[in-house]
Amino acid sequence: MNRNSKVKLIAAFCLSCAFGLLHAQDAEKAFVKENMTFAAGQYRLMLQTPVQGKDGKGVMPHSTRKDGTVSKASIYMWTSGFFPGSLWYLSEYLGDKALQDSALVYTRKMEPVKSFTDNHDIGFMMYCSYGNANRFSPQRSYRDILVESARSLCTRYREKAGVIQSWNGFRSWHGNKVYDFPVIIDNMMNLELLFYASRATGDPSFRDIAVSHARHTMMNQVRDDYSCFHIVYYDKETGKPIKGETSQGYSDNSAWSRGQAWGIYGFTMCYRETKDPSFLTTAQRMADFYLDHPNLPSDKVAWWDFNANQPGYVPGVRSNANNVVLNYRDASAAACTASALLELSTYSEGKLAKKYLEGAKAILHSLGSPRYRAELGKNGNFILMHSTGAIPQNGEIDVPLTYADYYFLEALYRYDRILDGKPLF
Ligand code: GLY
């Protein structure tokens, strides 16, 4: 072959690769669009289901009951911010004014929560609702509500231990002992509200609390293999960690998959806010634990716990996990992990960046398939099936959950921006 023919052949090869890539990108954009359009259809139907309870306090879609009807929660349930948040992502992506109006209506219902101090969940509740409202349609009043919410969260900061107390108490599955200073891995998700509040006010104290909480969680809650304890009990007097146990996982030493997801997401977000490399490494190793685990099914949607029903893992005597022989997936853990992996891919390099992006893509394609995605008008009008809330408490087993939908939509939104080469924030 002469030189000219070689050059032509190489040029033709490069062109066909470029067309192939463009075609693949178009197909992924179409995948996102089809899922968002479907989800909007489901949620338009969801918007027609009435509020619940004689007092009308059940306003936020939460899950389904045994008979398949929608269960709705009060604004003080930890999941209350996800429905408005989902409406924000849908309306923003689709440019749909009617959905934006609904997002606003549901967000405004959340305002009284700004002074809630009874547990740590205010970050989930207010940042998914008002946080997204403020991001996509900023208003001074939203900022004020978010800052007040951050102040409420800070009332639970315990200086000696350097962490935010999650719950007021937890009765161990092993007997009757009630621990009065439990911190759960989920708490990492509440820190985003605090970082925001420091940026909004210029007051570093919110951020200092968030960083302290994340550092202590990294030391005391993340294990050497980069799985994590669901709960760590602290001593109120000394501020020292006492021991790790579980509330929603299979056993104290197991890896509860949603806890793993909260950790991957939380440490990735802390790296975004601080650029502290130890947060990045923690997020990456926790992500590797999920993606490389021998028990991760080939569709990358994790079992509810990586170690359920395995030798060496024993639930506490009072835990309902002792009675559950079937294994169940948790689509909510997979959706949250996908969203986190997409962000993590943007802070990672080379093979790792590719691994996290491909991992997220695989999860999204599984969740968007008929195996997990509901049919229009079915599944209580939630988007995803097959989540698991709390097997030890004998609740929410193999059901739709509002937060599975939220993180699925967030991940689709993020994926679309990555495909377009746009920054995530
Ligand atoms: N934050 C509670 C849960 O993940 O179920």
Side-chain angles (χ1 to χ4, degrees), residues 54-295:
K54 284 202 190 84
D55 51 10
K57 282 190 178 157
V59 287
M60 296 297 182
H62 172 78
S63 182
T64 52
R65 301 190 189 85
K66 290 221 159 54
D67 65 3
T69 55
V70 179
S71 63
K72 293 203 177 190
S74 106
I75 56 171
Y76 293 101
M77 173 83 171
W78 78 275
T79 58
S80 56
F82 293 118
F83 185 61
S86 294
L87 293 172
W88 279 113
Y89 276 121
L90 284 171
S91 62
E92 179 67 17
Y93 175 85
L94 294 166
D96 185 312
K97 176 79 177 65
L99 282 174
Q100 190 188 69
D101 290 345
S102 299
L104 260 177
V105 167
Y106 278 84
T107 297
R108 288 201 180 114
K109 290 180 197 292
M110 296 294 295
E111 184 174 350
V113 179
K114 66 188 177 189
S115 48
F116 180 78
T117 57
D118 220 31
N119 64 43
H120 68 153
D121 285 324
I122 191 166
F124 277 113
M125 299 191 276
M126 297 307 269
Y127 209 70
C128 295
S129 54
Y130 274 99
N132 280 314
N134 199 43
R135 178 175 170 198
F136 296 130
S137 181
Q139 299 263 343
R140 174 78 196 193
S141 62
Y142 301 163
R143 172 225 176 259
D144 294 346
I145 289 166
L146 286 165
V147 171
E148 191 172 340
S149 304
R151 285 209 178 89
S152 299
L153 179 56
C154 290
T155 63
R156 300 188 66 83
Y157 182 62
R158 308 290 175 248
E159 208 159 335
K160 216 170 212 169
V163 292
I164 297 164
Q165 179 169 348
S166 295
W167 299 327
N168 297 335
F170 182 74
R171 183 176 164 209
S172 163
W173 290 124
H174 298 285
N176 290 324
K177 188 159 172 60
V178 175
Y179 290 89
D180 64 359
F181 187 175
V183 173
I184 61 173
I185 189 69
D186 322 31
N187 209 338
M188 288 296 299
M189 303 296 283
N190 293 309
L191 307 182
E192 200 167 3
L193 172 67
L194 300 184
F195 286 116
Y196 165 78
S198 270
R199 263 187 279 114
T201 59
D203 174 354
S205 65
F206 300 104
R207 177 193 166 86
D208 292 347
I209 288 177
V211 170
S212 173
H213 184 92
R215 292 220 169 107
H216 285 87
T217 301
M218 200 164 61
M219 280 186 301
N220 302 328
Q221 203 131 3
V222 178
R223 303 178 181 123
D224 289 347
D225 67 355
Y226 288 95
S227 64
C228 58
F229 290 109
H230 183 199
I231 314 180
V232 169
Y233 304 124
Y234 285 81
D235 184 315
K236 272 201 165 149
E237 299 299 313
T238 65
K240 298 266 180 275
I242 302 172
K243 66 191 292 212
E245 286 197 358
T246 197
S247 162
Q248 277 153 275
Y250 184 73
S251 65
D252 296 343
N253 59 341
S254 73
W256 174 49
S257 43
R258 198 162 56 255
Q260 196 69 20
W262 297 145
I264 302 167
Y265 192 115
F267 284 109
T268 302
M269 177 272 296
C270 285
Y271 177 71
R272 180 207 313 154
E273 294 288 349
T274 62
K275 297 295 169 225
D276 178 335
S278 68
F279 292 148
L280 179 62
T281 308
T282 302
Q284 289 173 329
R285 295 295 84 77
M286 291 190 84
D288 294 340
F289 180 94
Y290 182 108
L291 289 172
D292 300 340
H293 201 286
N295 296 342

Side-chain angles (χ1 to χ4, degrees), residues 2-78:
N2 66 25
R3 195 172 171 278
N4 256 357
S5 319
K6 264 192 200 160
V7 169
K8 276 187 195 157
L9 201 67
I10 291 170
F13 178 73
C14 291
L15 262 178
S16 86
C17 286
F19 279 131
L21 281 178
L22 271 179
H23 182 72
Q25 165 150 346
D26 284 351
E28 290 308 287
K29 291 273 298 177
F31 164 78
V32 172
K33 189 167 186 186
E34 194 276 331
N35 275 284
M36 287 295 210
T37 307
F38 166 80
Q42 274 298 75
Y43 272 29
R44 282 189 198 101
L45 294 174
M46 178 73 91
L47 283 163
Q48 292 164 21
T49 58
V51 295
Q52 289 169 359
K54 284 202 190 84
D55 51 10
K57 282 190 178 157
V59 287
M60 296 297 182
H62 172 78
S63 182
T64 52
R65 301 190 189 85
K66 290 221 159 54
D67 65 3
T69 55
V70 179
S71 63
K72 293 203 177 190
S74 106
I75 56 171
Y76 293 101
M77 173 83 171
W78 78 275

